[in-house]
């Protein structure tokens, strides 16, 4: 390494200053080991491979990714579509940046994706309003639209973390029920203004067109704030399983309230106390109280690279990378530890850092080949700090026995995740 460019270690076990890549530039980058072999790319003479000698494939009307990427897929809990809930989890450990491709967006569907004819679908707004309204998709299309980046997370995401012993599974299984997209649609406030909401109204009850329908109560305040009738996902129409042709989208709130295949919003003065919100989405706390109508997905982060299944390629310099998000605002800071939380280094946040959206963090790390425990801890601009797992379970509870990763009776885990690296470079899930 060039003299004067020696990276500065700022926390134990080799965590380097987040500006190292910028300051050290090419000289530093040349020392990177990577999780796959990157060395040996020396100036050998190029030979022509077979694909360089013939014309390439014809461009199809709708592009598919490279056949070599076919293994980057969602994992399915109900691949045969039996009569129970279907979950598909996003491969966050094989993704980069902050946007989830539509084909990899996580899904929770109580009874599969209905095959809705957009020309026949209707959205009704009724109840405590001056003018009940009915919209076709074409009618909605004529309203002013907004686009925003936002994550959506199932309240049951990360439920395996309630297990008393760390479940040995990869990031996709542990935390794969969160995704982030650019959503475009009509603000619900625009439609509610047209309907004329009764001043006594306090709640909205939203219903989907799937069978059985998922019905949830939403405080009117959220409906008048940033709630959206989403029509597009990353620039194209919603995917069938994500709510085609329209869904409610409540930025930062537990996914189950963002009703897909939305067909009805009833304006009321009391919550519906519907079956799913009385049972599934109400949790008993260690203090004996029922935890109902807790909506926000709290500040959270996890390291995506390295993570279980991504083996380290010998001692050397790596980039630790992950995602952070908060349902209460923007990510302000992410700290990373390589010694199980004793010392911390501040990670670089990749711009743009957006409200209620994924924020990518990165930090250079010089791994000397000895065991290490990696953690990340996020802070948001509303003053919230991601709790340690121990802090979290003291307040919200823990399960008595380990459950299969697919079960999620407990909700809203946002504690710190720990990855142990052993001398062989294997990554394991641990509680630290
Ligand atoms: N109509 C309807 N809306 C629904 C669901 C459903 O089964 N039916 N699942 C909910 C749950 S539990 C979650 S977490 C989110 C997931 O949204 P996604 O599948 O687009 O990721 O949709 C919610 N909206
Ligand atoms: Mo969910």
């Amino acid at each position: 390494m060039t003299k004067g460019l020696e990276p500065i270690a700022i926390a134990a076990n080799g965590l380097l200053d987040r500006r190292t890549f910028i300051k050290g530039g090419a000289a530093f980058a040349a020392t990177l080991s990577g999780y796959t072999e990157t060395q040996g790319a020396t100036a050998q003479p190029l030979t022509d491979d077979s694909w360089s000698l013939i014309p390439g494939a014809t461009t199809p009307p709708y592009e598919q990714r490279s056949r070599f990427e076919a293994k980057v897929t969602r994992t399915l809990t109900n691949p045969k579509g039996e009569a129970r809930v279907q979950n598909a989890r996003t491969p966050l450990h094989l993704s980069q940046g902050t946007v989830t491709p539509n084909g990899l967006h996580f899904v929770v569907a109580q009874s599969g994706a209905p095959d809705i004819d957009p020309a026949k679908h209707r959205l009704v707004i009724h109840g405590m309003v001056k003018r009940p309204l009915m919209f076709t998709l074409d009618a909605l299309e004529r309203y002013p639209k907004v686009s925003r980046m936002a994550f959506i997370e199932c309240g049951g995401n990360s439920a395996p973390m309630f297990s008393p012993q760390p479940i040995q599974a990869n990031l996709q299984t542990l935390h794969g029920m969160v995704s982030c997209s650019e959503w475009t649609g009509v603000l619900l406030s625009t439609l509610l203004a047209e309907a004329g909401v009764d001043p006594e109204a306090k709640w909205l009850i939203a219903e989907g067109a799937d069978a059985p329908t998922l019905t949830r109560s939403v405080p009117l305040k959220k409906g008048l704030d940033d709630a959206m009738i989403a029509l597009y996902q990353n620039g194209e129409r919603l995917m069938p399983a994500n709510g085609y042709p329209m869904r409610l989208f409540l930025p930062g709130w537990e996914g189950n309230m963002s009703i897909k295949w939305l067909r009805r919003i009833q304006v009321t003065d009391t919550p519906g106390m519907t079956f799913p919100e009385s049972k599934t989405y109400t949790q008993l706390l260690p203090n004996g109280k029922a935890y109902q109508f807790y909506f926000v997905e709290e500040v959270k982060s996890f390291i995506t690279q390295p993570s279980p299944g991504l083996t380290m390629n010998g001692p050397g310099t790596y980039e630790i990378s992950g995602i952070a998000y908060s349902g209460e605002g923007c990510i302000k800071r992410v700290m990373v530890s390589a010694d199980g939380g004793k010392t911390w280094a501040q990670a670089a946040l990749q711009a743009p850092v957006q409200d209620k959206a994924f924020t990518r963090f990165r930090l250079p790390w010089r791994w000397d080949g000895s065991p290490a425990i990696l953690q990340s801890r996020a802070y948001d601009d509303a003053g919230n700090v991601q709790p340690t797992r121990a802090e979290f379970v003291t307040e919200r509870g823990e399960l008595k026995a380990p459950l299969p990763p697919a079960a999620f009776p407990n909700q809203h885990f946002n504690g710190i995740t720990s990855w142990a690296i052993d001398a062989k470079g294997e990554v394991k899930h641990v509680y630290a």
Side-chain angles (χ1 to χ4, degrees):
M1 172 159 303
T2 319
K3 235 183 148 212
L5 291 175
E6 195 55 38
I8 309 158
I10 52 167
N13 272 356
L15 292 181
L16 304 178
D17 186 294
R18 67 187 185 281
R19 291 164 292 244
T20 302
F21 286 117
I22 306 163
K23 286 197 285 187
F28 180 73
T31 69
L32 284 173
S33 319
Y35 309 108
T36 51
E37 187 62 61
T38 54
Q39 263 130 37
T42 47
Q44 285 173 14
L46 285 176
T47 55
D48 287 332
D49 284 301
S50 55
W51 52 78
S52 300
L53 302 172
I54 50 167
T58 308
T59 304
Y62 193 89
E63 192 62 80
Q64 303 292 322
R65 65 190 172 171
S66 161
R67 66 192 170 94
F68 297 102
E69 299 302 313
K71 281 194 189 132
V72 181
T73 53
R74 299 184 295 196
T75 45
L76 309 178
T77 57
N78 183 0
K80 292 193 182 133
E82 288 156 9
R84 58 186 167 89
V85 69
Q86 299 180 33
N87 296 350
R89 291 180 163 89
T90 299
L92 295 164
H93 60 307
L94 303 175
S95 308
Q96 260 294 343
T98 54
V99 176
T100 309
N102 291 348
L104 295 176
H105 198 284
F106 91 90
V107 172
V108 178
Q110 298 301 325
S111 59
D115 184 28
I116 296 179
D117 176 348
K120 292 194 182 137
H121 184 79
R122 298 286 181 271
L123 169 65
V124 171
I125 298 182
H126 69 117
M128 295 173 70
V129 292
K130 276 209 199 77
R131 285 172 298 278
L133 299 171
M134 185 164 84
F135 302 92
T136 62
L137 186 62
D138 284 349
L140 274 184
E141 202 53 63
R142 293 166 63 173
Y143 281 79
K145 287 185 274 297
V146 294
S147 293
R148 67 166 299 162
M149 286 292 294
F151 75 85
I152 175 167
E153 179 172 40
C154 177
N157 192 28
S158 316
M161 305 295 289
F162 284 97
S163 159
Q165 285 87 40
I167 288 178
Q168 286 317 318
N170 68 5
L171 181 67
Q172 184 168 18
T173 304
L174 297 176
H175 298 306
M177 293 208 289
V178 61
S179 301
C180 186
S181 305
E182 186 204 61
W183 301 92
T184 300
V186 181
L187 281 177
L188 182 54
S189 58
T190 308
L191 306 181
L192 289 174
E194 189 181 354
V197 173
D198 185 319
E200 299 290 305
K202 289 195 181 61
W203 290 83
L204 306 170
I205 302 174
E207 180 189 81
D210 50 339
T213 56
L214 181 77
T215 305
R216 284 269 0 219
S217 311
V218 179
L220 176 61
K221 206 165 159 228
K222 182 70 170 175
L224 295 173
D225 179 18
D226 56 0
M228 178 197 286
I229 308 296
L231 308 171
Y232 296 83
Q233 174 183 2
N234 294 326
E236 62 181 357
R237 289 281 184 189
L238 301 182
M239 288 302 232
N242 300 117
Y244 183 89
M246 60 182 74
R247 77 178 302 167
L248 184 60
F249 190 83
L250 305 176
W253 283 22
E254 56 178 11
N256 65 72
M257 304 176 73
S258 284
I259 299 298
K260 300 188 279 189
W261 314 295
L262 182 70
R263 71 167 176 186
R264 186 217 294 257
I265 292 177
Q266 185 185 355
V267 183
T268 66
D269 53 2
T270 52
M273 294 307 227
T274 64
F275 175 76
E277 70 195 17
S278 310
K279 183 189 167 281
T280 320
Y281 303 119
T282 297
Q283 192 182 320
L284 268 187
L285 294 177
N287 66 13
K289 290 208 169 130
Y291 194 25
Q292 190 178 37
F293 297 137
Y294 52 107
F295 306 122
V296 173
E297 294 295 305
E298 292 152 294
V299 63
K300 184 161 168 181
S301 69
F302 38 76
I303 293 169
T304 55
Q305 290 97 8
S307 64
L310 303 179
T311 301
M312 312 273 296
N313 185 36
T317 308
Y318 291 80
E319 182 184 74
I320 295 173
S321 172
I323 48 186
Y325 51 95
S326 167
E328 284 176 289
C330 290
I331 291 298
K332 197 171 154 204
R333 191 164 31 156
V334 177
M335 303 298 285
V336 171
S337 175
D339 59 2
K342 287 190 210 84
T343 63
W344 297 89
Q346 188 170 348
L349 302 185
Q350 181 179 286
V353 175
Q354 296 177 92
D355 180 40
K356 304 182 182 75
F358 277 4
T359 296
R360 174 66 58 178
F361 64 87
R362 304 175 189 283
L363 190 71
W365 177 39
R366 182 167 289 168
W367 183 51
D368 66 5
S370 56
I373 294 181
L374 298 183
Q375 298 182 327
S376 66
R377 176 172 226 175
Y379 299 69
D380 70 18
D381 64 359
N384 303 296
V385 185
Q386 186 180 6
T388 64
R389 184 180 176 282
E391 286 165 355
F392 180 88
V393 298
T394 304
E395 206 180 301
R396 303 276 179 87
E398 190 178 39
L399 295 174
K400 294 210 170 54
L403 277 168
F408 47 93
N410 289 44
Q411 303 269 320
H412 286 238
F413 181 90
N414 75 319
I416 289 174
T417 299
S418 307
W419 304 138
I421 320 282
D422 68 14
K424 281 187 277 170
E426 259 167 54
V427 189
K428 273 202 155 155
H429 177 214
V430 294
Y431 290 162

